[in-house]
Amino acid sequence: MTDDYVLETRELTKEFKGFVAVNKVNLKVRRGTIHALIGPNGAGKTTCFNLLTQFLPPTRGRIFYKAKEITGSKPSAIARMGLVRSFQISAVFPHLSVLENVRLALQRKRGGSFDFWRSERILNALDDRARELIASVGLSEFEQTIAVELPYGRKRALEIATTLALDPEVMLLDEPTAGMTHEDVGRISALIRRVAQNRTVLMVEHNLSVVADLCDHITVLARGEILAEGDYATVSRNPEVVQAYMGKGYA
Amino acid sequence: MNDPAGAPALSEIAIKPLKHVNGAAHRWVAFIVMVAFFALAPTFIYPVFLMKVMCFALFACAFNLLLGYVGLLSFGHAMFLGIAGYAAAYVAKEGLNIEAIRLGTIHIPLNIALPPFTPELAILTGVLAAAILGYVAGLLAIRRQGIYFAMITLALAQMVYFFCLQAPFTGGEDGIQAVPRGKLFGVIDLSDVKAMYATVFVIFIGGFLVIFRIIHSPFGQVMKAIRENEPRATSLGYDTDRYKLIAFVLSATLAGLAGATNALVFQLAALNAVHWTMSGEVVLMTLVGGLGTVFGPVVGVLAVLGMENYLAQLGAWVTIVQGAIFVICVLTFRRGIVGELARWIKKPL
């Protein structure tokens, strides 16, 4: 394995009671790229994400992050190593303010926050950095808004700001533009492009124009297996891919 | 999120953290009202009843720390109240006499012979017992979530109940009676109602402030994050099980403080404190007062115990009246008394 690949899986497999959701996937994510994981519904993309971040234990196979095996680590430990994920459904803390949401991620850098005897006022020291992050995703005017009251697109932006607060080396984004209005899609993809400048992004995405626009490398999954890999032009010409998306007869 | 009061409740009372400095004023007012009430009330309300209210208010606040701020519904919190009561009552009455520990054929001579404990040490013993039980119960229970968590805590509480019924030193059905209140620090005689009242008052206010600080600490922020979205807290790198365990132990410890104090007040440790109905009652008290509010449990306890006390002549009807109030509470003011009040003044309480 070379240092080029920041994230790599070998023969990664997940079975649920006889159903193989992910089958012998060898995924290689090159450092500094935006890598997309696409495929029809049920192809195992989200399962892959859950395996990579150890929210699910793999049945077989190994996962390497920065040339170090992380199979079997705790999900929280993986997050602390700099491999941070988002979720398909928007993952904010709904009844906390936008500022508090971001600050919770910044608070991680203090190490464990087990100090229940101290006033939360010491967290105010993190407010400036939190405001910078909030501004970077265009949410400044919503700083004091309770997250649940934000429109959907803004929630995703908040989620990205929260993830960025951890300064992760690798961001795993699960369908960042799902369910968004056209305008929001543009805003979020611009944001992803910006934040990907000095880190690696692996994203599951259904919106192929976003994928075409953003991603350097694409892996197509179907029925739990890798069907094709390459850049957008290569992948979109692949007859098997077209068939998996459109059904037989289109190839 | 699994708080039975429903998601909208918390959204509308949620706080704006940066305005704490200015926005804390109404909380100070509420706090002063509460302190003044318990300081002045014994002049016109039966003090023993008020001491019971303060003990249960601390118990409910400890329970609310877990349900209202971490989102964990423990259905066995009576075990901490009860075990602390038994431990405190036992050492206050009998002291601690252990000749030896026998484990099968192993015989470890200890020859511990301590005279009856002073009240502060008895309470400390009770608190310690609850903390240890809380740690063991927490280790087992936090492995599961939602209803399973509630069921495991209930099952453990039932085990503790039968232990208290059968163990040689708990007095079975009789409990431990005629517990001496003793002299606080060997000086202040607690058989005097005023001295006892002052002691309970200090313990209650102290416990309340500790809980308030826990809620408003960096740890408290993580607790709320877990309540709001546990997978997300994990994905930010928080080992949520450890936070939940610590919160559970803190809650159990404070419930133990309430239980031990209660045993001294009534000079009695009895089975009703470990019974599952007690675990249910604390849920009721917290919901009526306002889940996830700082002052809610205190008001809830005052309401529920007040009903029990002043409607006592209705006999069995009290339970029915309570049931009806609970139903009305869930149907019409789901945020509880304080929760609705906080929404009305648009400030957290």
Side-chain angles (χ1 to χ4, degrees), chain A residues 127-202:
Chain A
D127 285 351
D128 287 342
R129 177 71 187 129
R131 289 208 182 88
E132 269 173 44
L133 285 158
I134 290 167
S136 78
V137 297
L139 286 179
S140 285
E141 56 189 305
F142 298 100
E143 186 185 297
Q144 294 295 341
T145 308
I146 302 304
V148 73
E149 288 162 8
L150 289 176
Y152 185 78
R154 304 281 191 184
K155 272 188 199 147
R156 304 300 317 230
L158 170 59
E159 197 185 324
I160 290 176
T162 310
T163 306
L164 281 175
L166 295 174
D167 199 14
E169 281 195 64
V170 180
M171 276 172 91
L172 304 183
L173 304 175
D174 199 353
E175 301 197 26
T177 70
M180 277 189 186
T181 62
H182 187 71
E183 189 185 324
D184 282 338
V185 169
R187 199 200 327 260
I188 291 292
S189 28
L191 182 60
I192 292 171
R193 187 194 302 281
R194 190 147 49 81
V195 303
Q197 271 162 7
N198 42 9
R199 49 176 63 87
T200 313
V201 174
L202 174 64

Side-chain angles (χ1 to χ4, degrees), chain B residues 58-141:
Chain B
L58 183 55
F59 179 42
C61 286
F63 173 80
N64 182 45
L65 181 66
L66 208 53
L67 179 58
Y69 293 94
V70 198
L72 292 172
L73 171 59
S74 160
F75 209 76
H77 245 50
M79 66 177 145
F80 308 120
L81 184 81
I83 205 79
Y86 274 110
Y90 186 85
V91 296
K93 191 179 181 186
E94 313 279 349
L96 199 58
N97 297 292
I98 309 171
E99 274 178 28
I101 295 176
R102 243 173 244 133
L103 293 166
T105 54
I106 308 163
H107 188 91
I108 310 162
L110 286 173
N111 293 322
I112 297 175
L114 297 172
F117 284 24
T118 50
E120 72 281 359
L121 288 178
I123 289 174
L124 199 64
T125 309
V127 169
L128 209 63
I132 293 166
L133 182 64
Y135 182 72
V136 176
L139 270 185
L140 292 166

